[in-house]
């Protein structure tokens, strides 16, 4: 039985549809109820929905054999897992954004507001730029508007929220998409099952 | 002592010590503390996230040991006789998962001296034997950095590329490795060799054959020949079907440079054993010897294989102030002699028990 952690929300539903088409369906998952775990013993799969940022924790600790997780989470938390496949969905990017017309002249410490502290620190360390990190948990776009920060480091999908708030992307740090991850120990004992699923999903993703 | 009373990690520790003794390994007892300088001087090798430090009464800066190997090898001198020791110690490290210090119980062994194929075989065999003591459902993954490192160096794309490529190999991240190779302008042929290493896992007989095309330089060919020789010995043992090759095994610490391995137990979400050959560390300490060893992380076995306990004690003996101590003592003694575990209490509270002996209604002296 493969335990699969899916991220709650649109991305998770999209990935489940791919798994379903790959032959790993579990009809009960589409029933409107409050169940947390859905199993299809015949297909050898057990799905559960978890908060997107928790998927890597479930997989790293072996509660799930495999899971679907954004590259942003993997880069920020560096879980000790296998990253087996780029699912090429949930495509976006981690970017630096600022108020339109902002210019970093490099003369002062750059104030950076973000949820992705480690990614932002690593990015600016690679450029040798001195920064003051402001760790926020949401509504990051507000920070430069209210003068809390000079720039933000955040996920940008279409850029609409930025535009509506008179902000713009200054630099892209790295592209993001959903990744299929596996627990390292679990992979040793369920190699054939995981490889079979992987090859079927790969065919569908292209 | 009854085996039933031992916790899983204690039972395993007893078994491991006995196994290592059979192969002539001697116990090595060390102090809990070490001078901090040792870790400061070797921080590149240990790659420690942090060390718990404190001042001794004379002001000397000491540390709670974050690593055992360094303490064992630091004062050794090269000798014709191989030094074979085992230990059962606690180390204090920052947990990668929580970012906080954690006490970890380790049992392990080190073999230091003029090593040959037999020594490497014996260590890997004992690693497999150690896992077998924990569970019959285990896998020992074997790799050789003498293959991996020359292949990466031959690509000639710099240290930043090598570091990022090693991370991709450790993650079995083929798409990441291809993107990285493209970014650094690595040729298609070299990219294909690196990608092949990601896919090189499983049955050693099959994997070893597939590596012939990957190992093009003299160093990697030599390492591949060593791996062939090691496998030809290991495949004759009772653990042959539990041993696999896997080039995602790149152990923590910068001191491994040869054979490395990791052990996994079905039902435990991370590797419970890690080790390898670390001649590089001894070279840094200006020694001619070679060294190989491994550690078993016993703290990961806590609760493993335990059935949920339905009761805290077999028998709860309830008494009150009217029950004389002599009657109570006799009752408890008799039950213990019958083989029960007994708790004498004036109130049951939240205690879970299988049988109740209530003396509150009688037994007055």
């Amino acid at each position: 039985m493969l335990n699969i952690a899916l991220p709650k929300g649109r991305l998770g539903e999209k990935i489940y549809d791919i798994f379903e088409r790959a032959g790993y369906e579990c009809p009960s998952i589409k029933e409107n109820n409050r169940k947390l775990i859905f199993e299809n013993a015949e297909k050898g799969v057990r799905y559960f929905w978890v908060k997107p940022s928790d998927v890597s924790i479930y997989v790293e600790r072996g509660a799930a054999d495999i899971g679907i997780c954004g590259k942003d989470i993997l880069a920020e938390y560096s879980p000790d897992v296998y990253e087996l496949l780029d699912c090429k969905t949930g495509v976006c990017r981690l970017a630096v954004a600022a108020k339109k017309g902002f210019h970093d002249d490099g003369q002062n410490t750059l104030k950076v507001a973000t949820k992705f502290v480690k990614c932002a620190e690593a990015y600016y360390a690679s450029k040798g730029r001195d920064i003051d990190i402001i760790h926020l948990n949401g509504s990051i776009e507000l920070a430069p508007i209210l003068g809390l920060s000079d720039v933000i480091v955040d996920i940008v999908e279409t850029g609409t929220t930025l535009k509506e708030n008179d902000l713009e992307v200054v630099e892209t740090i790295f592209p993001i998409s959903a990744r299929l991850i596996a627990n390292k120990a679990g992979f040793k004992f369920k190699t054939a099952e995981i490889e079979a699923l992987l090859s079927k999903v790969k065919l569908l993703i292209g | 002592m009854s085996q039933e009373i031992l916790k899983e990690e204690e039972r395993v520790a007893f078994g491991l010590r006995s196994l290592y003794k059979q192969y002539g390994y001697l116990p090595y007892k060390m102090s809990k503390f070490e001078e901090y300088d040792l870790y400061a001087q070797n921080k590149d090798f240990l790659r420690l996230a942090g060390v718990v430090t404190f001042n001794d009464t004379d002001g000397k800066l000491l540390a709670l040991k974050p690593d055992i190997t360094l303490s064992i090898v630091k004062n050794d001198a090269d000798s014709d006789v191989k030094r074979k020791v085992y230990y059962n110690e606690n180390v204090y490290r920052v947990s990668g998962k929580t970012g906080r210090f954690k006490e970890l119980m380790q049992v392990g062994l080190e073999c230091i001296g003029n090593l040959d194929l037999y020594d490497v075989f014996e260590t890997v065999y004992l690693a497999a034997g150690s896992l077998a003591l924990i569970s019959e459902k285990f896998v020992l993954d074997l790799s050789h950095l003498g293959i991996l490192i020359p292949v990466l160096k031959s690509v000639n794309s710099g240290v930043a590329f090598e570091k990022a490529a090693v991370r991709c190999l450790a993650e079995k991240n083929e798409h990441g490795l291809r993107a990285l190779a493209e970014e650094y302008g690595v040729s298609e042929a070299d990219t294909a060799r690196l990608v092949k290493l990601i896919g090189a896992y499983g049955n050693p007989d099959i994997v070893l054959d597939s590596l012939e095309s990957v190992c093009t330089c003299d160093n990697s060919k030599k390492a591949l020949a060593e791996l062939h020789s090691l496998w030809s010995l290991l495949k004759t043992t009772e653990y042959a079907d539990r041993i696999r090759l896997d080039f995602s095994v790149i152990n923590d610490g910068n001191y491994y440079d040869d054979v490395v391995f990791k052990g996994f137990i079905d039902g435990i979400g991370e590797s419970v054993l890690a080790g390898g050959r670390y001649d590089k560390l001894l070279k840094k300490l200006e020694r001619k010897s070679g060294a190989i060893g491994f550690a078993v992380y016993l703290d990961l076995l806590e609760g493993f294989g335990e059935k949920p306990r339905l009761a805290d004690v077999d028998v709860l003996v309830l008494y009150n102030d009217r029950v004389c101590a002599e009657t109570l003592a006799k009752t408890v003694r008799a039950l213990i002699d019958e083989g029960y575990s007994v708790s004498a209490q004036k109130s049951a509270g939240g205690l879970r028990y299988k049988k109740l002996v209530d003396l509150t209604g009688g037994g007055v002296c």
Side-chain angles (χ1 to χ4, degrees):
Chain A
M1 180 69 69
L2 272 184
N3 291 306
I4 305 171
L6 292 174
K8 276 183 196 164
R10 255 188 318 158
L11 174 64
E13 286 162 17
K14 214 169 167 183
I15 293 290
Y16 170 75
D17 287 340
I18 295 172
F19 282 12
E20 190 180 60
R21 283 192 284 137
Y24 295 91
E25 71 274 17
C26 185
S28 61
I29 207 168
K30 292 192 168 168
E31 287 167 11
N32 190 15
N33 58 35
R34 288 178 175 236
K35 275 175 71 177
L36 297 170
I37 297 175
F38 307 90
E39 187 176 314
N40 185 343
E42 194 192 324
K43 298 287 177 182
V45 284
R46 185 187 292 130
Y47 293 100
F48 39 92
W49 297 111
V50 299
K51 196 175 163 186
S53 56
D54 288 343
V55 169
S56 64
I57 299 170
Y58 277 83
V59 174
E60 185 182 26
R61 295 204 173 231
D65 299 307
I66 60 171
I68 300 297
C69 185
K71 183 66 184 174
D72 51 324
I73 302 293
L74 297 175
E76 182 65 16
Y77 298 106
S78 307
D80 189 19
V81 295
Y82 288 140
E83 186 185 319
L84 300 176
L85 184 67
D86 180 351
C87 298
K88 297 175 186 167
T89 50
V91 177
C92 50
R93 55 187 164 144
L94 190 73
V96 180
K99 279 205 279 190
K100 270 184 188 158
F102 171 78
H103 172 68
D104 177 16
D105 59 15
Q107 291 191 21
N108 295 314
T109 300
L110 188 71
K111 287 188 276 181
V112 182
T114 186
K115 256 197 295 195
F116 300 94
V117 173
K118 283 187 187 163
C119 290
E121 279 175 346
Y123 176 67
Y124 283 107
S126 73
K127 299 176 79 169
R129 182 74 173 95
D130 184 36
I131 59 164
D132 176 16
I133 282 272
I134 302 160
H135 185 195
L136 297 178
N137 293 303
S139 303
I140 316 290
E141 296 87 353
L142 261 180
I145 297 168
L146 298 178
L148 178 63
S149 73
D150 299 315
V151 298
I152 61 172
V153 167
D154 204 10
I155 292 171
V156 178
E157 198 173 344
T158 59
T160 310
T161 313
L162 293 180
K163 257 184 220 159
E164 285 177 1
N165 289 287
D166 211 25
L167 302 171
E168 63 184 2
V169 170
V170 180
E171 292 153 294
T172 293
I173 300 181
F174 57 77
I176 295 169
S177 56
R179 309 294 163 97
L180 193 152
I181 58 173
N183 175 265
K184 287 189 171 179
F187 186 84
K188 312 292 167 193
F189 300 97
K190 296 181 181 177
T191 314
E193 293 102 304
I194 294 173
E195 282 181 338
L197 180 140
L198 205 61
S199 63
K200 287 174 191 163
V201 169
K202 256 185 195 171
L203 282 176
L204 290 170
I205 288 171
Chain B
M1 192 186 292
S2 161
Q3 286 284 310
E4 285 168 22
I5 211 158
L6 295 177
K7 295 177 95 173
E8 180 63 8
E9 58 271 31
E10 292 165 341
R11 181 191 67 77
V12 171
F14 273 119
L16 294 178
R17 293 204 294 261
S18 162
L19 173 68
Y20 305 154
K21 266 189 175 177
Q22 283 176 353
Y23 281 81
Y25 286 76
L26 302 176
Y28 188 88
K29 179 72 189 160
M30 59 190 82
S31 152
K32 275 196 185 335
F33 316 134
E34 186 69 75
E35 284 191 35
Y36 175 72
D37 269 1
L38 179 68
Y39 305 115
Q41 285 163 11
N42 294 287
K43 61 179 187 219
D44 289 350
F45 276 84
L46 295 169
R47 288 187 188 153
L48 294 167
V51 179
V52 182
T53 57
F54 61 97
N55 287 99
D56 204 351
T57 50
D58 60 0
K60 196 180 279 176
L61 190 60
L62 297 180
L64 288 178
K65 279 194 168 66
D67 178 86
I68 302 288
T69 303
L70 201 54
S71 299
I72 291 178
V73 300
K74 67 168 183 172
N75 292 325
D76 244 15
D78 290 324
S79 157
D80 290 341
V81 179
K82 277 171 274 198
R83 189 165 176 232
K84 296 184 173 190
V85 296
Y86 73 86
Y87 57 85
N88 186 1
E89 299 286 339
N90 288 343
V91 293
Y92 303 84
R93 285 186 187 167
V94 176
S95 158
K97 290 193 175 72
T98 63
R100 294 178 182 278
F101 280 106
K102 205 178 170 195
E103 184 181 50
L104 307 167
M105 204 210 302
Q106 287 188 357
V107 174
L109 60 80
E110 312 289 348
C111 176
I112 305 152
N114 187 13
L115 304 186
D116 53 29
L117 174 64
Y118 174 76
D119 298 307
V120 178
F121 159 73
E122 183 182 270
T123 309
V124 176
Y125 177 73
L126 285 173
S130 303
L131 293 165
L133 269 171
I134 301 168
S135 166
E136 59 182 18
K137 290 182 182 170
F138 75 88
V139 166
L140 183 70
D141 273 349
L142 201 59
S143 176
H144 199 310
L145 297 181
I147 292 176
L148 187 68
I149 295 167
V151 170
L152 279 172
K153 295 266 180 221
S154 69
V155 171
N156 218 6
S157 290
V159 178
F161 170 80
E162 286 167 21
K163 276 188 177 172
V166 162
R167 210 164 38 240
C168 289
L169 285 160
E171 292 171 352
K172 292 192 188 292
N173 183 348
E174 185 184 327
H175 52 274
L177 186 59
R178 285 188 187 280
L180 185 74
E182 199 179 323
E183 186 189 333
Y184 280 81
V186 175
S187 72
E188 272 183 34
D190 283 340
T191 305
R193 283 164 66 219
L194 292 172
V195 166
K196 205 160 192 178
L197 279 177
I198 289 184
Y201 61 86
N203 182 333
D205 279 325
I206 298 167
V207 175
L208 283 169
D209 286 345
S210 76
L211 289 174
E212 297 292 342
S213 60
V214 175
C215 301
T216 50
C217 67
D218 289 346
N219 286 342
S220 58
K221 279 180 184 166
K222 184 173 164 260
L224 182 60
E226 284 170 12
L227 214 45
H228 267 290
S229 307
L230 178 61
W231 173 237
S232 66
L233 285 172
L234 289 167
K235 73 191 290 185
T236 62
T237 71
E238 66 273 39
Y239 306 128
D241 63 339
R242 307 273 93 204
I243 296 171
R244 297 173 191 172
L245 286 190
D246 193 322
F247 284 84
S248 72
V249 175
I250 298 154
N251 285 345
D252 293 338
N254 197 21
Y255 51 68
Y256 294 111
D257 57 355
D258 198 275
V259 167
V260 285
F261 44 90
K262 266 190 176 176
F264 299 87
I265 299 287
D266 195 6
I268 298 179
E270 54 193 298
S271 66
V272 298
L273 180 149
R277 186 164 176 175
Y278 52 94
D279 297 9
K280 197 169 152 188
L281 174 62
L282 271 80
K283 203 171 173 185
K284 185 180 181 257
L285 298 171
E286 295 176 355
R287 300 261 306 279
K288 287 176 190 154
S289 302
I292 187 167
F294 64 82
V296 181
Y297 306 112
L298 291 183
D299 52 300
L300 295 175
L301 306 185
E302 196 179 322
F304 173 70
E306 271 180 25
K307 288 177 190 152
R309 283 183 305 152
L310 299 172
D312 302 312
V313 287
D314 294 328
V315 184
L316 171 66
V317 176
L318 265 187
Y319 69 100
N320 56 23
D321 291 340
R322 294 174 57 231
V323 178
C324 77
E326 195 182 4
T327 306
L328 179 61
K330 270 186 187 168
T331 307
V332 170
R333 187 73 235 174
L335 287 163
I336 286 172
D337 287 346
E338 283 178 50
Y340 295 115
S341 61
V342 184
S343 181
Q345 299 281 354
K346 286 186 172 175
S347 156
L351 209 64
R352 296 172 307 166
Y353 50 88
K354 292 177 188 164
K355 186 176 160 187
L356 176 69
V357 174
D358 190 352
L359 300 179
T360 55
V364 182
C365 290

